[in-house]
DNA sequence: GAGATTGTCAAGTGAATACTTCAGTATTCG
DNA sequence: CGAATACTGAAGTATTCACTTGACAATCTC
């Protein structure tokens, strides 16, 4: 599987319209046109958003005949989850050490 | 604790310079000037990034005398983690149901 | 107090971004 | 076939965004 670029994922998720599209797809796959319908937006714009979402592996899309069906892909969010996890564990380890030092200080008091 | 806005968090994290600042702070608190030093960027720009990071509760900052000390705050990332978790569980529940339906089809075959 | 350090404010610039419209191209349907 | 549907591409626009410069303010150090 091709690697996921964290920069792309975060940039993709930073836009509220794209997040709305994701949430909509969360209920199940949809053709691009139906994805566009409730958003006050042209189909062209949706197509542009879709390219961004696909590049970040947050959605997968497949064209059959004249209709492009869009569905959630988990790779993007998983990559983000891991990115967060990496940082969180690092920081918490540091805070733990800090806590230990403070406790040691107390003992020495 | 004041609520964290997911839109702000994602927007803040979407910028590579801000992520670099975060990673740098992961090793421990720093004054703004030292945060600016290794980045090819003015102190003014760092100040602007800091406001964004603070608004999204990814860092906390405190000014003592003439130096502003910056440190990681966990609230922002936690909010994001929860946002992801919400979606993930929703989608997976849907995929589970889909799996069940397919299994049922197999049985009926 | 003089001079250096550290940060802040206001205003400006260039690039990126989310849109649009208009003009196509395939595909399905009567 | 011809008309409607579903999308795609190119080009333009308006806003946002990261960043800069330059002037100022507060604090520390000698």
């Amino acid at each position: 599987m091709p690697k996921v670029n964290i920069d792309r994922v975060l940039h993709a998720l930073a836009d509220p319209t794209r997040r709305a599209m994701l949430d909509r797809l969360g209920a199940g796959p949809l053709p691009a046109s139906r994805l566009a319908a409730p958003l006050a937006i042209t189909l062209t714009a949706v197509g542009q958003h879709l390219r961004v979402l696909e590049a970040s592996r947050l959605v997968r899309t497949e064209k059959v005949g004249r209709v492009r069906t869009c569905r959630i892909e988990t790779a993007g969010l998983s990559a983000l989850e891991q990115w967060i996890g990496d940082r969180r564990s690092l920081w918490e380890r540091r805070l733990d050490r800090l806590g230990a030092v403070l406790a040691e200080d107390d003992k020495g008091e």
Side-chain angles (χ1 to χ4, degrees), chain A:
Chain A
M1 43 175 149
K3 229 186 115 233
V4 177
N5 180 349
I6 247 337
D7 193 55
R8 287 184 178 210
V9 174
L10 284 166
H11 169 241
L13 289 177
D15 183 85
T17 305
R18 280 191 291 262
R19 287 200 304 276
M21 289 170 66
L22 271 187
D23 278 348
R24 194 100 188 297
L25 288 177
L30 283 176
S33 45
R34 300 223 22 208
L35 199 49
L39 309 169
I41 238 186
T42 46
L43 184 56
T44 305
V46 168
Q48 287 162 0
H49 284 308
L50 278 176
R51 267 197 285 129
V52 174
L53 288 167
E54 258 191 297
S56 53
R57 302 205 47 199
L58 287 161
V59 311
R60 189 162 37 95
T61 145
E62 185 192 5
K63 190 157 183 179
V64 174
R66 66 184 163 173
V67 45
R68 175 168 303 275
T69 305
C70 316
R71 66 193 68 222
I72 296 275
E73 194 181 4
T74 52
L77 267 208
S78 296
L80 180 53
E81 232 168 0
Q82 190 180 356
W83 182 85
I84 296 178
D86 288 351
R87 265 114 202 119
R88 242 184 134 59
S89 56
L90 265 175
W91 304 347
E92 269 152 25
R93 203 178 318 150
R94 194 183 62 74
L95 293 175
D96 283 355
R97 278 204 307 277
L98 180 58
V101 168
L102 293 179
E104 200 60 27
D105 282 2
D106 278 359
K107 221 172 58 176
E109 202 47 58

